[in-house]
Amino acid sequence: MKNTFGQSVAVTLFGESHGPMIGAVLDGLAPGVRVDEDLIRMKLALRRGGAALSTARREADPFQIVSGIFEGRTTGTPLCIVIPNGDTHSADYAAMRSLMRPSHADYTAYCKYHGFQDYRGGGHFSGRVTAALVAVGAVAEEALREGGICLGTHLLSCADVRDREFGSLEEDIAALSGKPFPVLDEAAGEKMQAEILRAREEGDSVGGVLETAVVGLPAGVGEPWFDTVEGVLAHILFSVPAVKGVEFGGGFRLAALRGSRTNDPMRVENGQIVTETNFGGGIAGGITNGMPLLFRCAVKPTPSISLPQRTVNIETMENAELSIRGRHDPCIAHRARAVIDAVTAIALCDLMSQRFGTDGWRKNP
Amino acid sequence: MKNTFGQSVAVTLFGESHGPMIGAVLDGLAPGVRVDEDLIRMKLALRRGGAALSTARREADPFQIVSGIFEGRTTGTPLCIVIPNGDTHSADYAAMRSLMRPSHADYTAYCKYHGFQDYRGGGHFSGRVTAALVAVGAVAEEALREGGICLGTHLLSCADVRDREFGSLEEDIAALSGKPFPVLDEAAGEKMQAEILRAREEGDSVGGVLETAVVGLPAGVGEPWFDTVEGVLAHILFSVPAVKGVEFGGGFRLAALRGSRTNDPMRVENGQIVTETNFGGGIAGGITNGMPLLFRCAVKPTPSISLPQRTVNIETMENAELSIRGRHDPCIAHRARAVIDAVTAIALCDLMSQRFGTDGWRKNP
Amino acid sequence: MKNTFGQSVAVTLFGESHGPMIGAVLDGLAPGVRVDEDLIRMKLALRRGGAALSTARREADPFQIVSGIFEGRTTGTPLCIVIPNGDTHSADYAAMRSLMRPSHADYTAYCKYHGFQDYRGGGHFSGRVTAALVAVGAVAEEALREGGICLGTHLLSCADVRDREFGSLEEDIAALSGKPFPVLDEAAGEKMQAEILRAREEGDSVGGVLETAVVGLPAGVGEPWFDTVEGVLAHILFSVPAVKGVEFGGGFRLAALRGSRTNDPMRVENGQIVTETNFGGGIAGGITNGMPLLFRCAVKPTPSISLPQRTVNIETMENAELSIRGRHDPCIAHRARAVIDAVTAIALCDLMSQRFGTDGWRKNP
Amino acid sequence: MKNTFGQSVAVTLFGESHGPMIGAVLDGLAPGVRVDEDLIRMKLALRRGGAALSTARREADPFQIVSGIFEGRTTGTPLCIVIPNGDTHSADYAAMRSLMRPSHADYTAYCKYHGFQDYRGGGHFSGRVTAALVAVGAVAEEALREGGICLGTHLLSCADVRDREFGSLEEDIAALSGKPFPVLDEAAGEKMQAEILRAREEGDSVGGVLETAVVGLPAGVGEPWFDTVEGVLAHILFSVPAVKGVEFGGGFRLAALRGSRTNDPMRVENGQIVTETNFGGGIAGGITNGMPLLFRCAVKPTPSISLPQRTVNIETMENAELSIRGRHDPCIAHRARAVIDAVTAIALCDLMSQRFGTDGWRKNP
C-alpha cells in the first residue's frame, strides 16, 4: 500500500518539499464530525515549533480543505487538505545534488529511485510532508474526542533531561494540549530548551523520547495476530521522521524484571474491570483492555548538523566532506509530538472503525 | 487484514491451542525455492526450547506440508503447513474459564469475542500458534538465503545478564544457527540459564531482549512513508507474543546522544558506498542502505507464574486470587528467537518481492 | 493480496488437486454464529453435482473444521476447514505434463511458475479447490441469515434453454435451497439436463448463465469508488472457475435501452423508500439501496472435452493434438452455483462488517 | 481500502463536484516515466466529449501536477494531479437537496452518510471526479507504453447501432487514440451520434457497450484465485460511473456455445505459443497467456433525463415528481471510454509491478 495506511480509515500522503503543494487524504472517517479549522491551525503551529528553537522557515501553513467537508462537518467521503509550499530557495539545494547527507534519506532515495527523485530539500522525504499528516490528524483527533477518546504526548526526555512521568492522565492531557514545548514539568522543559540551544551553538543536534497516553478506548479493540494494537500503531509511528524505537507500557524495562512484578493485577472497580498497574500499556494479547494506552517513541537527533561530516559524492563516487549550511533544527523531538498525535489519532480511528463500523462508535451517529 | 500479513508475500495463521491442528499459509513466495524439511524440524525444535528450561509439553511438532510444494520445491502457490495438536488436557483449563490470568489475553479476548472464544490454553492466542509461523518462516528464510540474504538473532540480555554485542555478523549468524540457547558468549548464556532456573524455583518468570541482524539486503528496499522497513517489520514483530518494544539501530539510546555522534558517516569502499557506523540499523528514510539491518525486541517476562495473583472472576464479576498450576515457562525470550527469525524472514520476502517482483530478486530465477 | 480476499472478513485458499488436502481460512467473522455441519455437507453436495451429469470422482467431501469453532459456534478467530484429498490417480496426469490443455490454466501456470507448479489435475487451479470455498461460504451464509439476509442462485440459461425469471424472491430462494439442479422451472431444467447429456455423448461441453438474488441487505453499504458493491462482488465472482462475465441488474441489456425506461422510479411504501423497477440490481452509485441485489454470471463451457484439440507440447515446443481422456463434466454451470453462493456470502459479510463493524450488524450481538 | 485501489501501484481519489478541486494520487509507479502534459490534456478532452453531444459545462480542465514529477519524469513518489473546479452554480442544485434523482446515488449516499454528504451536483459521486482519474491514468498509460504495452477502447454499440469488431489491433488502437467519438466504422459512428441527438431532443438518454483491447502484455501475469486479471480489472471497471456489466473474451456469448467451439486451440508460431482464437480474452485461469486482453463494459443510459420521473422527497418522506432541468448528457458511453482506458492502465501497471517489481518490467530501467 506504500503511501497509504489504514484499512477502514486510511490516509494517503503526497508532495515534495519544493513542489507546488503537499497534501493528505483521509478516507473512511465517519460523516458528521465537526471540523474546527482553528484546531488544525493550532496543531500545525505545534508542528512548526517555537521560533527560538527551530528552523528559519516558519511561515504559518496556509492549508486548504479541498474535499470531504460540507457545512462544517465531515461528509464521510475522502477529506483532502493541501498546503501550498511558500518561497523555497531551490538553489540552496542544487549544489548538494550529489553530496549525500549522512543519516538522511538522500542515498537510500537515490538507490530506490535511480536518481529520478526530487532531491531538493529532501523532496518527498522532507519532514515538511508531515504538516499534511498533522492537518488531517487534527480531524481524526476530533472524531475520537466526539467518541469519548482523547490523547496527548509529552517529551519524556531530551538530551539527558527528564520530564516527570504522567500523573492524572486527563489533567495532563488537557495541560499538554496547545503547549508548544510539551512537558509536564516546566523546570525540566527549561533545561531541555537550554540543552537544545547549546547544541545549536555547537552546530550539533539532540534527540528525545516522546510518551503518549490515550484515554477512553474501549476494551476489545485490535487483533490477536498481525493487526495487534501494538503492531498497527508501531507501523505508522515509524513513519514519523527520526523515530527509531517504539515501546508499549513497560517496554524495554520489562526485559529485566520478573513476571511477579510486571503482571498487571486485575480487580473490579465500580462494576468495571481494571488493572492495578499498567505495564501492559493498555493492551494484552494485542487487544485493548480498557486501561489507558501508553507508549513511547525514541526520536534520534536531527541528522542536519552544521559540523563537518564525512560523506560521498554520488556522481563521482568519491569520498567528500559536507557541512550543511543554513539554519537547521537542533531538535525535532518536541515538534514530532504533533505528528505522533496525528498518526495515533488516524490509526485509532481505523482500529475503532474496523471493530465498530464507520459510525458505530460515534456517540451521536 | 487481521490474521493475514503482507502484500506481495503474505502469511495467514489459524488454529487454537486445544483444537485439532494449527497452521499457517504462506502465499506469494517465488516458485522453485528448495524446501528442506530438516530445516523446518530444526526451527521448530528451537522454538520448543530445551527441556530443562521450558514447559513440560515437549513432543516434537509433527508438521505436515499440505500444499505449495511439489518435487521438493515451492510451486509458487500458497504453501500451507499444519501441525496437529497432540494430547492436551482440556480439563486442566476448564476450571479456569472464568478466572482471567493477569497480563494474558483472557480478558481482552473475552471483551472482543463476547465469551465465544475457545479459552482452553489461551485458544488462538496461545504461543503454540507460533509453531506454524516458525514452520513457514523456515521456507521464507531459505528463499532469502537463496537470494543472498541471511539473518540471525541472539539473546542480548536476560534478567540483567548481558550477552556480548554482535561482532563479525556472518560468523555470528552462522554460530547462532541451530543453537538452542542463542547467545554469542557462552558464559553469559550459562548465567542467563541459571537466572531462568532460579526464577522457576521461585514460581516466577523473567524477560529478555533479542537482537537480530540481517546481512545481504540490497539498498533501495522499503517506502518513505507508512511502509518503511521499520514500520513493516515492527508491525509483524509485535505479533510475537510478549514483545513490548522494538528498536532499530541505536534505538532508544539515540534519544540521549548528539547528531554528531549518531549520524553514520559515509564512504566509498571497494566501489560500494558504506557507512562507518550503523546507528541507523541499515535504514535511512525508511529504506535500506545496504548496511546490515539491526533491531532489538523487548520480551516481557512470561505472564504465567505460579505465585498467587490478584484477578477477577468474569462470570461473578468478583475479585479473586489465582495461582496458575502446572509447569510453565519461566522464560520465553530464547524461544521467541525462532519466531522473530520467522516473521523477519516473511516480512523481508514481502519487501523484496514488492520491490523486485515475485522472482526478480532470486539468484537463479 | 493474491490468495486472500477481503478486508474486514477475508478468505484465504490453499491446496492442490492431488496434494494431501485443500482448505480455506475465513477470518474476521463475528463470534457466536451457529455452525451447522449438515449445511456445509449439503452445500458440498450441491457443488459435487448429480451423479448422472458430472464427473466420476464423486465421493462425499470429508471436511474437517480445524479452527475457529467452539461449542458449535464461531469463536471470531480464523475459521479453517480442510478437506483431505481422496484417491487420485496421478499417473493419469503425468503423461500430460507437457501437453497444454486448451483454455485451461496449464500454459498460463507454466509461464507464471516457470514449470515448478504441481500440474497434476490442474494443481492449485483445479475446480476442486472450490470445495473449501463452499465449506467456509456455508458459514458466511449462515452469518448473513442470522443478520436477516438470504440469497439464492438459479441457472437462468444453459445451452440455449432458459429458466423462468425470478418471481417472488423469498419463495424462489427457499425453493432453490438444496435443489441439486437449480432451476425455477422444472421443465426447463429437464431440457437443460438433456442438452448436457447430449453434449457429453458428443464428447463436448456446454456453458450457462447463473442469476443470483440477495434479499435483506440494508441501504448504505458499499463505497462510491473502487469498493463499489459491484466491484467487490465482481472481483471475487471472477475467481469462480469458468466465469467470464458479470452483470448487475439490467446489465448488458441496459446498453440498448433508454434512460426513461431503465431509471428506477422511487416511491414511499409502508414508510420505506423502494424503487418500482430494479434495473440497478439493488445498487446505485456503488452503494446498496435496500432493494434486492441481482446479478448474473456467464459460465463458459467446461474446457475439458474428449474431442481432439490442437495444442502444443511445452517441452518440445511443437504443435500437438490432444484428446482429454476419462470422464469429464460436460457442464459445470449448475455446480458453480454453490461456489457463487459461497463467494457472494463471503463478500457480503465483508461489506457488512466494513460498514457496521464485526458484530454491529448481527441481530443478537 | 475504500477510495484507494491497487497494491503495488495504487490510486486514491478525492473531491466533490462543487468543492474547490478534485484530485487523484497515483502511487507506486516506477521512477523515470516521461510525463507528457499534452497527452493528459488530450485524454481530458476525450473525457469531456464533443460539444454537440455533451453537457454545457465544457471548459478545459486546468489540471496541475502537484507532486511526483521532477524534470519531466516521474520521481517514483506519489504523483498527485488536482483539477480546480470552475464556476459551478450551486444554487441550481440546492432546490434539489431533498428530491432524490432516480438511478443516481442521491438516495444511497443519503443512507450511507446520514445526510452529511455534499449533495451539490452529485458531490463525490459526480462523474466529474473521473477527470482526475483520467489525468493520472494518462501517466499510467505512458508507463505501459514505455513497457511495450498499448491499449484502446471503442464504442462497440450504442442505442442498437453497432460498430465493426476489432480487426488489426495495433492499427485500430492507433486509430482510436485521440478520436473524440471512438468508433472503428465512421458510418456507424454517424448513426450513433444521430441516435444520441435524437434521445436528447426527446429529453431522454441512451447507453452503450465499450470494448477494450490491450496488446503487449506478457504471459504469466495475474493470480489463480481472487486477484485474477478478470477480477482485478472488473473491480476497478465497476468504478466507472454507469458501468453495469463487464465481460472478458467471449463473455456472456460463451454460455450458449459448446466447448469444442470456444476452447482456444494453441500452436507454436515463430517460436511463440499463440492461440488460434481468443474466446478467453487473453486470460486462462486468471492469468495472462500473452494474447491480446479483450473485454467489454456495458454502460447504462445516463440517469439524468429531462422527462418527468416519479421519486421521493427524502425530508418529507412523500412521493414526488422530478424533472431534471438544465442540459444533461444524453449519452456518456463515448466519454466513459477515456475513464476505462485510465483505470485499465492503472490496474495493469499494478498487476505488472506485482509480478515484476517496481521497475523490473520497464524497458530501460
Side-chain angles (χ1 to χ4, degrees):
Chain A
M1 263 300 101
K2 303 179 182 298
N3 282 49
T4 296
F5 185 84
Q7 297 179 44
S8 287
V9 173
V11 64
T12 299
L13 271 185
F14 59 88
E16 279 86 32
S17 174
H18 286 56
M21 60 176 74
I22 59 167
V25 184
L26 184 64
D27 186 22
L29 209 59
V33 177
R34 283 179 200 283
V35 178
D36 179 352
E37 299 209 1
D38 285 336
L39 179 68
I40 297 173
R41 213 163 277 124
M42 188 261 271
K43 295 281 182 183
L44 287 171
L46 295 180
R47 195 203 67 90
R48 283 195 304 277
L53 289 170
S54 304
T55 64
R57 193 175 163 185
R58 273 292 167 270
E59 68 278 12
D61 303 298
F63 68 92
Q64 186 185 14
I65 303 175
V66 300
S67 70
I69 309 281
F70 185 53
E71 299 175 346
R73 290 171 182 261
T74 58
T75 56
T77 55
L79 170 69
C80 179
I81 301 183
V82 298
I83 305 178
N85 284 322
D87 283 341
T88 49
H89 305 287
S90 299
D92 289 4
Y93 291 96
M96 294 169 69
R97 180 173 199 154
S98 51
L99 283 185
M100 305 287 97
R101 292 169 300 167
S103 295
H104 268 285
D106 297 357
Y107 174 63
T108 57
Y110 184 91
C111 294
K112 181 173 174 66
Y113 302 114
H114 308 303
F116 291 109
Q117 75 280 2
D118 181 352
Y119 58 84
R120 297 168 302 163
H124 184 55
F125 293 78
S126 169
R128 172 153 182 76
V129 175
T130 61
L133 258 182
V134 166
V136 297
V139 183
E141 200 175 329
E142 174 62 22
L144 290 177
R145 209 190 53 73
E146 290 181 20
I149 300 162
C150 65
L151 60 90
T153 297
H154 74 118
L155 191 54
L156 178 66
S157 72
C158 178
D160 275 332
V161 186
R162 209 173 158 86
D163 192 19
R164 75 158 165 85
E165 305 264 308
F166 269 123
S168 161
L169 285 177
E170 279 81 359
E171 284 173 33
D172 283 349
I173 288 172
L176 287 168
S177 162
K179 193 185 265 195
F181 198 84
V183 286
L184 300 169
D185 171 359
E186 292 302 324
E190 297 297 321
K191 282 186 212 157
M192 289 176 184
Q193 294 179 64
E195 283 300 312
I196 294 171
L197 290 173
R198 194 160 66 86
R200 161 180 289 171
E201 280 159 28
E202 297 171 14
D204 214 336
S205 64
V206 296
V209 173
L210 288 159
E211 184 175 50
T212 303
V214 185
V215 295
L217 270 177
V221 174
E223 298 291 331
W225 299 99
F226 306 134
D227 286 351
T228 62
V229 173
E230 291 107 326
V232 171
L233 281 172
H235 193 152
I236 196 168
L237 286 165
F238 275 115
S239 276
V240 182
V243 167
K244 294 298 278 188
V246 174
E247 62 177 11
F248 293 83
F252 277 88
R253 263 188 310 154
L254 298 174
L257 298 175
R258 287 264 180 111
S260 57
R261 169 90 179 81
T262 64
N263 280 0
D264 295 314
M266 305 175 81
R267 71 157 180 263
V268 180
E269 196 174 277
N270 304 324
Q272 301 278 67
I273 291 174
V274 299
T275 65
E276 298 179 1
T277 54
N278 192 5
F279 285 104
I283 308 166
I287 297 171
T288 56
N289 65 1
M291 298 301 292
L293 185 67
L294 288 171
F295 58 86
R296 280 172 295 282
C297 296
V299 180
K300 72 175 184 181
T302 325
S304 291
I305 58 176
S306 50
L307 290 170
Q309 301 182 75
R310 291 186 297 287
T311 188
V312 297
N313 181 313
I314 196 73
E315 289 177 2
T316 62
M317 282 298 277
E318 288 173 345
N319 292 333
E321 195 178 85
L322 170 74
S323 293
I324 301 179
R325 289 167 300 175
R327 294 179 68 188
H328 293 283
D329 253 353
C331 183
I332 54 167
H334 59 294
R335 296 174 57 194
R337 158 273 202 120
V339 192
I340 282 173
D341 283 355
V343 298
T344 301
I346 291 167
L348 291 177
C349 282
D350 188 21
L351 287 164
M352 289 294 287
S353 289
Q354 286 183 55
R355 178 71 183 81
F356 300 110
T358 314
D359 38 31
W361 56 281
R362 304 253 305 145
K363 293 296 177 195
N364 305 302
Chain B
M1 265 299 102
K2 304 177 182 299
N3 284 49
T4 296
F5 186 83
Q7 296 179 44
S8 287
V9 173
V11 64
T12 299
L13 271 185
F14 59 88
E16 279 85 33
S17 174
H18 286 55
M21 61 177 72
I22 58 167
V25 185
L26 185 64
D27 187 22
L29 209 59
V33 177
R34 284 179 199 284
V35 178
D36 179 352
E37 299 209 1
D38 285 336
L39 178 68
I40 297 173
R41 213 164 278 126
M42 188 261 272
K43 296 280 182 183
L44 286 170
L46 295 181
R47 195 203 68 91
R48 283 196 305 276
L53 289 170
S54 304
T55 65
R57 193 175 164 185
R58 273 291 167 273
E59 68 279 13
D61 303 297
F63 69 90
Q64 186 185 12
I65 304 175
V66 300
S67 70
I69 308 281
F70 186 53
E71 298 176 347
R73 290 171 181 261
T74 58
T75 56
T77 56
L79 169 70
C80 179
I81 300 182
V82 298
I83 305 178
N85 285 321
D87 282 342
T88 50
H89 305 287
S90 298
D92 290 4
Y93 292 97
M96 294 170 69
R97 178 172 201 157
S98 52
L99 284 184
M100 306 286 96
R101 293 169 298 166
S103 295
H104 268 285
D106 297 357
Y107 174 63
T108 57
Y110 184 91
C111 294
K112 180 174 175 67
Y113 302 113
H114 308 304
F116 290 109
Q117 74 281 3
D118 181 352
Y119 57 84
R120 298 168 301 165
H124 184 56
F125 293 79
S126 170
R128 171 152 182 78
V129 175
T130 61
L133 259 181
V134 166
V136 298
V139 184
E141 201 176 327
E142 174 62 21
L144 290 177
R145 211 189 52 74
E146 292 181 20
I149 300 162
C150 64
L151 60 90
T153 298
H154 74 119
L155 191 54
L156 179 66
S157 72
C158 178
D160 276 332
V161 185
R162 210 174 157 85
D163 192 21
R164 75 158 164 85
E165 307 262 309
F166 270 123
S168 160
L169 285 176
E170 278 81 359
E171 283 173 33
D172 284 349
I173 287 171
L176 288 167
S177 163
K179 192 185 267 195
F181 198 85
V183 286
L184 300 170
D185 171 358
E186 291 303 322
E190 296 297 322
K191 283 186 212 158
M192 289 175 184
Q193 293 180 65
E195 283 299 311
I196 293 170
L197 290 173
R198 194 159 67 87
R200 161 181 287 171
E201 279 159 29
E202 298 172 12
D204 214 337
S205 63
V206 295
V209 173
L210 288 159
E211 183 174 51
T212 303
V214 185
V215 294
L217 271 176
V221 174
E223 297 292 330
W225 299 97
F226 307 134
D227 286 350
T228 62
V229 173
E230 291 108 326
V232 170
L233 281 171
H235 193 152
I236 197 167
L237 286 164
F238 275 115
S239 277
V240 182
V243 167
K244 295 297 279 187
V246 174
E247 61 177 12
F248 292 83
F252 277 88
R253 262 188 310 154
L254 298 175
L257 298 175
R258 288 260 179 115
S260 58
R261 168 88 179 82
T262 64
N263 281 0
D264 295 314
M266 306 175 80
R267 71 157 180 264
V268 181
E269 197 173 276
N270 303 325
Q272 300 278 69
I273 291 174
V274 298
T275 64
E276 298 179 1
T277 53
N278 192 5
F279 285 102
I283 308 166
I287 297 170
T288 55
N289 65 1
M291 297 301 292
L293 185 67
L294 289 171
F295 59 86
R296 280 171 295 282
C297 296
V299 180
K300 73 175 183 181
T302 325
S304 291
I305 59 176
S306 50
L307 289 170
Q309 300 182 77
R310 292 186 298 287
T311 188
V312 297
N313 181 314
I314 196 75
E315 289 176 2
T316 63
M317 281 299 277
E318 288 174 343
N319 293 332
E321 196 180 84
L322 169 74
S323 293
I324 300 180
R325 288 167 302 176
R327 295 179 68 188
H328 292 284
D329 252 352
C331 183
I332 53 167
H334 59 294
R335 296 174 56 194
R337 159 272 204 121
V339 192
I340 282 173
D341 283 355
V343 299
T344 301
I346 291 166
L348 291 178
C349 283
D350 188 21
L351 288 164
M352 289 294 287
S353 290
Q354 284 182 56
R355 178 70 183 83
F356 300 110
T358 314
D359 39 30
W361 54 282
R362 304 253 306 144
K363 294 296 176 195
N364 305 302
Chain C
M1 264 300 101
K2 303 179 182 297
N3 284 50
T4 296
F5 185 83
Q7 296 179 45
S8 286
V9 173
V11 64
T12 300
L13 272 186
F14 58 88
E16 280 84 32
S17 174
H18 286 56
M21 60 176 73
I22 59 167
V25 185
L26 184 64
D27 186 23
L29 208 60
V33 177
R34 283 179 201 282
V35 178
D36 179 351
E37 300 209 1
D38 285 336
L39 178 68
I40 298 173
R41 213 163 278 123
M42 188 260 272
K43 296 280 183 183
L44 287 170
L46 295 180
R47 195 203 68 89
R48 282 195 304 277
L53 289 170
S54 303
T55 64
R57 193 176 164 185
R58 274 291 166 273
E59 69 278 13
D61 303 298
F63 69 91
Q64 186 185 13
I65 304 176
V66 301
S67 70
I69 308 281
F70 185 53
E71 299 176 346
R73 289 172 182 261
T74 58
T75 55
T77 55
L79 169 70
C80 179
I81 301 183
V82 298
I83 305 178
N85 285 321
D87 283 341
T88 49
H89 305 286
S90 298
D92 289 4
Y93 292 97
M96 294 169 69
R97 179 173 201 155
S98 52
L99 283 185
M100 306 286 96
R101 292 170 300 165
S103 294
H104 267 286
D106 297 357
Y107 173 63
T108 56
Y110 184 91
C111 294
K112 180 174 174 66
Y113 302 114
H114 308 303
F116 290 109
Q117 75 280 3
D118 181 352
Y119 58 85
R120 298 169 301 163
H124 184 55
F125 292 79
S126 169
R128 172 152 183 76
V129 175
T130 61
L133 258 182
V134 166
V136 298
V139 184
E141 201 176 327
E142 175 62 21
L144 290 178
R145 211 190 52 74
E146 291 180 21
I149 299 162
C150 65
L151 60 90
T153 298
H154 74 119
L155 191 54
L156 177 67
S157 72
C158 178
D160 275 331
V161 185
R162 209 174 157 84
D163 193 18
R164 75 158 165 84
E165 306 263 310
F166 269 123
S168 161
L169 285 176
E170 280 81 358
E171 284 173 33
D172 283 349
I173 288 172
L176 288 168
S177 163
K179 193 183 266 194
F181 198 84
V183 286
L184 299 170
D185 171 358
E186 291 303 323
E190 297 296 322
K191 282 185 212 157
M192 289 176 185
Q193 293 179 64
E195 284 299 312
I196 294 171
L197 290 173
R198 195 158 67 86
R200 161 181 290 172
E201 279 159 29
E202 298 172 13
D204 213 336
S205 63
V206 294
V209 173
L210 288 159
E211 184 175 49
T212 302
V214 186
V215 295
L217 271 177
V221 174
E223 297 292 330
W225 299 99
F226 308 133
D227 286 350
T228 62
V229 173
E230 292 108 325
V232 171
L233 281 171
H235 193 151
I236 196 168
L237 286 165
F238 275 114
S239 277
V240 182
V243 168
K244 294 298 278 189
V246 174
E247 61 177 11
F248 293 83
F252 276 89
R253 263 189 308 155
L254 298 175
L257 299 175
R258 287 257 178 119
S260 58
R261 168 90 179 82
T262 64
N263 280 1
D264 295 314
M266 306 175 80
R267 72 158 180 261
V268 181
E269 196 173 277
N270 304 324
Q272 299 279 67
I273 291 173
V274 298
T275 64
E276 298 179 1
T277 53
N278 192 5
F279 285 103
I283 308 165
I287 297 171
T288 56
N289 65 1
M291 298 301 292
L293 186 66
L294 288 171
F295 58 85
R296 280 172 294 283
C297 296
V299 181
K300 73 174 184 181
T302 325
S304 290
I305 58 176
S306 49
L307 289 170
Q309 300 182 76
R310 291 186 298 287
T311 188
V312 297
N313 182 313
I314 196 73
E315 288 176 4
T316 62
M317 282 298 276
E318 288 173 344
N319 293 333
E321 196 180 83
L322 169 74
S323 293
I324 301 179
R325 288 167 301 175
R327 294 180 69 189
H328 292 284
D329 254 353
C331 183
I332 55 168
H334 59 294
R335 297 174 56 194
R337 158 271 204 124
V339 192
I340 282 173
D341 282 355
V343 298
T344 300
I346 292 166
L348 291 178
C349 283
D350 188 21
L351 287 165
M352 289 294 286
S353 291
Q354 284 181 57
R355 178 70 183 82
F356 300 110
T358 313
D359 40 30
W361 55 281
R362 304 253 305 143
K363 294 296 177 197
N364 305 301
Chain D
M1 263 301 102
K2 304 177 181 301
N3 284 50
T4 297
F5 185 84
Q7 296 179 44
S8 287
V9 173
V11 64
T12 299
L13 271 186
F14 58 87
E16 279 85 33
S17 173
H18 286 54
M21 61 176 73
I22 58 167
V25 185
L26 184 64
D27 187 22
L29 209 60
V33 177
R34 284 179 198 283
V35 177
D36 178 351
E37 300 209 1
D38 285 335
L39 179 68
I40 298 172
R41 214 164 277 124
M42 188 260 272
K43 296 280 183 183
L44 287 170
L46 295 180
R47 196 202 68 89
R48 283 196 305 276
L53 290 170
S54 305
T55 65
R57 195 175 163 186
R58 274 291 166 273
E59 69 278 13
D61 303 297
F63 69 90
Q64 185 185 14
I65 303 174
V66 301
S67 70
I69 308 281
F70 185 54
E71 300 177 344
R73 290 171 182 260
T74 58
T75 56
T77 55
L79 169 70
C80 179
I81 301 182
V82 298
I83 305 178
N85 284 321
D87 282 341
T88 49
H89 306 286
S90 298
D92 290 3
Y93 292 97
M96 294 170 68
R97 179 172 200 155
S98 51
L99 283 184
M100 306 286 96
R101 292 170 299 166
S103 295
H104 267 285
D106 297 357
Y107 174 62
T108 56
Y110 185 91
C111 294
K112 181 174 174 67
Y113 302 114
H114 308 305
F116 290 110
Q117 74 280 4
D118 181 352
Y119 58 85
R120 298 169 302 163
H124 185 54
F125 292 80
S126 168
R128 171 150 183 78
V129 175
T130 61
L133 259 182
V134 166
V136 297
V139 183
E141 201 176 326
E142 175 61 21
L144 290 177
R145 210 189 54 73
E146 291 181 21
I149 299 163
C150 65
L151 59 91
T153 297
H154 74 117
L155 191 53
L156 178 65
S157 71
C158 179
D160 277 331
V161 185
R162 208 174 158 85
D163 192 20
R164 76 158 164 84
E165 307 263 309
F166 269 123
S168 161
L169 286 177
E170 279 81 359
E171 283 173 33
D172 284 349
I173 288 172
L176 288 167
S177 162
K179 193 185 265 195
F181 198 84
V183 285
L184 299 170
D185 170 358
E186 291 302 324
E190 297 296 322
K191 283 185 211 157
M192 289 176 185
Q193 293 180 66
E195 285 299 311
I196 294 171
L197 290 172
R198 194 159 66 87
R200 162 180 287 170
E201 280 158 28
E202 299 171 13
D204 213 336
S205 63
V206 294
V209 172
L210 288 159
E211 184 175 49
T212 303
V214 184
V215 295
L217 271 177
V221 174
E223 297 291 331
W225 299 99
F226 308 133
D227 286 351
T228 62
V229 172
E230 290 109 325
V232 171
L233 280 172
H235 193 152
I236 197 168
L237 286 165
F238 275 114
S239 276
V240 182
V243 167
K244 294 299 278 187
V246 175
E247 61 177 11
F248 293 83
F252 278 88
R253 262 188 311 152
L254 298 175
L257 298 176
R258 288 265 179 108
S260 57
R261 167 90 179 78
T262 64
N263 280 1
D264 295 314
M266 305 175 80
R267 71 157 180 263
V268 180
E269 195 173 278
N270 303 324
Q272 299 280 67
I273 291 174
V274 298
T275 64
E276 298 179 1
T277 54
N278 192 5
F279 285 102
I283 309 166
I287 297 171
T288 56
N289 65 1
M291 299 300 293
L293 185 66
L294 288 171
F295 58 86
R296 278 172 295 283
C297 297
V299 181
K300 73 175 183 181
T302 325
S304 291
I305 58 176
S306 49
L307 291 170
Q309 300 183 77
R310 291 185 299 287
T311 189
V312 296
N313 182 314
I314 196 75
E315 288 176 3
T316 62
M317 281 299 278
E318 289 173 343
N319 293 333
E321 195 180 85
L322 169 74
S323 292
I324 301 179
R325 288 168 302 176
R327 295 179 68 189
H328 291 285
D329 253 351
C331 183
I332 55 168
H334 59 294
R335 296 173 57 195
R337 160 271 203 122
V339 192
I340 282 173
D341 282 355
V343 298
T344 301
I346 291 167
L348 291 178
C349 283
D350 188 21
L351 287 165
M352 288 293 288
S353 290
Q354 285 181 58
R355 178 70 184 82
F356 300 110
T358 314
D359 40 29
W361 55 281
R362 303 254 305 143
K363 295 294 178 197
N364 305 302

